[in-house]
């Protein structure tokens, strides 16, 4: 009996490994995903897989694709596998925005126009200013508050590397001075959406503080209101020096679970016939609220907005993190794509290569399936 059980176990492991090495046959698991071999024999997808495996696309760790609600492509690279919890860096920010949506759905938050300082309370501020009391939750979701915080500007007082070397990251944000707008900088009122975008991780840390205050525990709320409902059980939060889960980056999730976050939005906030977040919140989250100022990107509620494709572009909203990590949703194609990477020192090249995977391989081939 023991030998039979051991044989069955070894056979199961062998079949799983073989399936993971065959990207046209995603592994059927008991995790809520149905699989389908829609890309069986697809030559461009095989070429993409080969180029990733040979490291022509550097340090890609996984590619997972869902189409029409079915998992149709799954492969892992560079010693990663389906159990790897990927550090997708700032893609975490979008999940933080999703948790704000669950608070709205549960009635624990009444409006995104509520002031952030109502729930994120800090005393003895540097640079005190009554205008800080006007910063709303929506301002933080759209990276457009009035505080001087810009991760892309090494001279910014709010640049994230300055935050990481002190203890209280929430207070770091509230201590910042008010942003100035010299003549050569576009003012919010002169911008397309009436907001001045500047990428600010510290502001998303404050959103985490708000979730923690409103719910009583960010970590427990995330598990109860989101992860457990999606069947996500194995994940890892990084923690700030004061013990708050890091809402601005570093959440470790499996690729198939990241795919569920994208599919939840594609499903208009519904999962297994339960409305986890409202359709209205989904629509607002994926509607442009600010111009980013590069690559023709726009910004929703912690979602990036752009178009991808080769000859024919498709609208998408996507999560993004250092290394080129992307979780992209294409509503018109009924498509969700997870691209994870450990190319953390690759700068813009890391983002360009995952954009190329979408533009040159994935989007065109899904368009062909649709046709």
């Amino acid at each position: 009996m023991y030998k039979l059980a051991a044989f069955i176990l070894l056979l199961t492991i062998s079949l799983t490994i073989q399936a993971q090495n065959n990207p046209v046959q995603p592994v059927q698991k008991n995790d809520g995903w149905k699989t389908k071999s829609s890309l069986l024999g697809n030559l461009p997808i095989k070429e993409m897989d080969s180029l990733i495996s040979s490291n022509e696309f550097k340090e890609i760790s996984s590619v997972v694709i869902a189409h029409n609600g079915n998992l149709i492509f799954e492969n892992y690279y560079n010693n990663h596998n389906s159990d790897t919890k990927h550090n997708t860096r700032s893609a975490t920010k979008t999940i933080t925005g999703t948790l704000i949506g669950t608070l709205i759905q549960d009635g624990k938050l009444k409006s995104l126009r509520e002031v952030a300082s109502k729930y994120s309370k800090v005393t003895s501020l540097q640079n005190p200013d009554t205008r800080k009391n006007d910063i709303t939750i929506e301002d933080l979701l759209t990276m457009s508050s009035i505080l001087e915080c810009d991760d892309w500007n090494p001279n910014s007082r709010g640049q994230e590397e300055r935050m990481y070397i002190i203890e209280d990251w929430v207070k770091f944000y509230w201590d910042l001075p008010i942003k100035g707008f010299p003549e050569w900088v576009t003012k919010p009122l002169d911008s397309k959406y009436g907001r001045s975008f500047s990428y600010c991780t510290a502001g998303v840390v404050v959103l985490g503080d708000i979730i923690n205050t409103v719910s009583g525990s960010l970590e427990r709320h995330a598990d109860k209101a989101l992860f457990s409902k999606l069947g996500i059980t194995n994940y890892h939060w990084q923690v700030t020096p004061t013990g708050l889960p890091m809402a601005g980056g570093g959440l470790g999730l499996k690729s198939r679970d990241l795919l569920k976050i994208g599919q939840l939005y594609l499903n208009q906030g519904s999962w297994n016939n339960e409305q986890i977040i409202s359709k209205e919140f989904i629509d607002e989250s994926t509607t442009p609220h600010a111009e980013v100022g590069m690559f023709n990107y726009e910004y929703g509620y912690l979602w990036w907005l752009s178009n991808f494709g080769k000859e024919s572009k498709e609208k998408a909203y996507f999560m993004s993190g250092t290394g080129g990590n992307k979780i992209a949703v294409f509503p018109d194609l009924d498509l969700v794509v997870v691209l994870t990477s450990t190319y953390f020192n690759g700068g813009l090249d890391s983002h360009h290569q995952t954009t190329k995977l979408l533009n040159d391989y994935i989007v065109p081939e899904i368009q062909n399936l649709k046709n």
Side-chain angles (χ1 to χ4, degrees), residues 314-339:
E314 299 283 350
K315 288 184 178 180
Y317 48 90
F318 63 102
M319 306 157 65
S320 179
T322 298
N325 287 284
K326 287 183 177 68
I327 298 87
V329 181
F330 297 82
D332 293 342
L333 293 177
D334 201 357
L335 171 68
V336 184
V337 181
V338 170
L339 302 170

Side-chain angles (χ1 to χ4, degrees), residues 38-329:
S38 303
L39 294 174
L40 182 66
N42 186 291
L43 294 179
I45 294 298
K46 285 185 175 181
E47 177 187 330
M48 177 193 77
D49 183 67
S50 176
L51 290 171
I52 295 172
S53 297
S54 63
N55 213 36
E56 289 294 318
F57 290 93
K58 296 181 181 178
E59 298 180 47
I60 300 296
S61 50
S62 74
V63 178
V64 183
I65 303 171
H67 182 232
N68 295 332
N70 297 304
L71 183 61
I72 65 167
F73 182 99
E74 177 184 25
N75 211 3
Y76 302 89
Y77 311 90
N78 296 306
N79 298 315
H80 297 273
N81 58 52
S82 62
D83 289 323
T84 299
K85 291 190 287 290
H86 302 277
N87 179 354
T88 48
R89 301 294 179 98
S90 285
T92 303
K93 291 179 170 71
T94 313
I95 296 174
T96 298
T98 303
L99 292 175
I100 292 289
T102 63
L103 291 176
I104 294 285
Q105 180 70 12
D106 293 345
K108 295 178 181 178
L109 273 180
K110 300 302 181 186
S111 170
L112 300 180
R113 275 72 177 181
E114 291 192 71
V115 294
S117 59
K118 177 181 177 180
Y119 304 106
S120 180
K121 298 182 182 297
V122 175
T123 58
S124 303
L125 288 184
Q126 298 177 26
N127 303 300
D129 194 300
T130 57
R131 288 174 290 178
K132 292 184 179 183
N133 294 326
D134 297 327
I135 296 172
T136 66
I137 294 171
E138 186 176 43
D139 292 335
L140 300 177
L141 286 169
T142 55
M143 299 277 189
S144 59
S145 90
I146 59 171
L147 297 193
E148 198 288 294
C149 181
D150 186 350
D151 292 349
W152 298 347
N153 180 354
N155 297 314
S156 171
R157 295 197 196 184
Q159 209 275 344
E160 63 180 315
E161 297 301 330
R162 290 183 167 86
M163 176 179 72
Y164 296 142
I165 59 176
I166 69 169
E167 183 178 44
D168 192 334
W169 296 359
V170 174
K171 191 173 187 300
F172 171 87
Y173 177 80
W174 289 115
D175 279 340
L176 294 172
I178 302 296
K179 186 190 306 181
F181 292 91
E183 186 175 341
W184 57 88
V185 175
T186 304
K187 297 176 176 60
L189 290 178
D190 298 326
S191 300
K192 183 176 179 181
Y193 300 106
R195 293 182 176 275
S196 177
F197 177 91
S198 60
Y199 192 78
C200 175
T201 295
V204 185
V205 171
V206 170
L207 284 174
D209 187 41
I210 291 170
I211 296 166
N212 200 61
T213 298
V214 172
S215 68
S217 167
L218 186 160
E219 191 167 3
R220 286 197 299 270
H221 176 75
D223 184 68
K224 181 180 179 181
L226 182 64
F227 293 151
S228 64
K229 294 184 178 184
L230 298 178
I232 298 172
T233 59
N234 192 356
Y235 52 88
H236 173 71
W237 286 101
Q238 292 186 358
V239 180
T240 72
T242 57
L244 184 70
M246 173 49 168
L251 175 63
L253 283 166
K254 299 178 184 180
S255 296
R256 291 168 72 122
D257 290 339
L258 286 164
L259 200 68
K260 290 179 180 180
I261 303 294
Q263 189 68 43
L264 176 66
Y265 275 75
L266 193 58
N267 293 351
Q268 294 289 287
S270 175
W271 192 268
N272 288 338
N273 298 316
E274 180 180 1
Q275 200 69 36
I276 296 176
I277 44 181
S278 71
K279 180 182 182 300
E280 291 74 20
F281 185 83
I282 297 287
D283 291 341
E284 282 295 309
S285 296
T286 57
T287 295
H289 293 277
E291 291 181 289
V292 172
M294 68 174 189
F295 307 137
N296 294 317
Y297 287 174
E298 294 184 316
Y299 207 69
Y301 289 166
L302 301 176
W303 282 96
W304 301 86
L305 313 174
S306 190
N307 301 309
F308 296 94
K310 201 168 186 179
E311 296 178 1
S312 176
K313 298 290 185 181
E314 299 283 350
K315 288 184 178 180
Y317 48 90
F318 63 102
M319 306 157 65
S320 179
T322 298
N325 287 284
K326 287 183 177 68
I327 298 87
V329 181

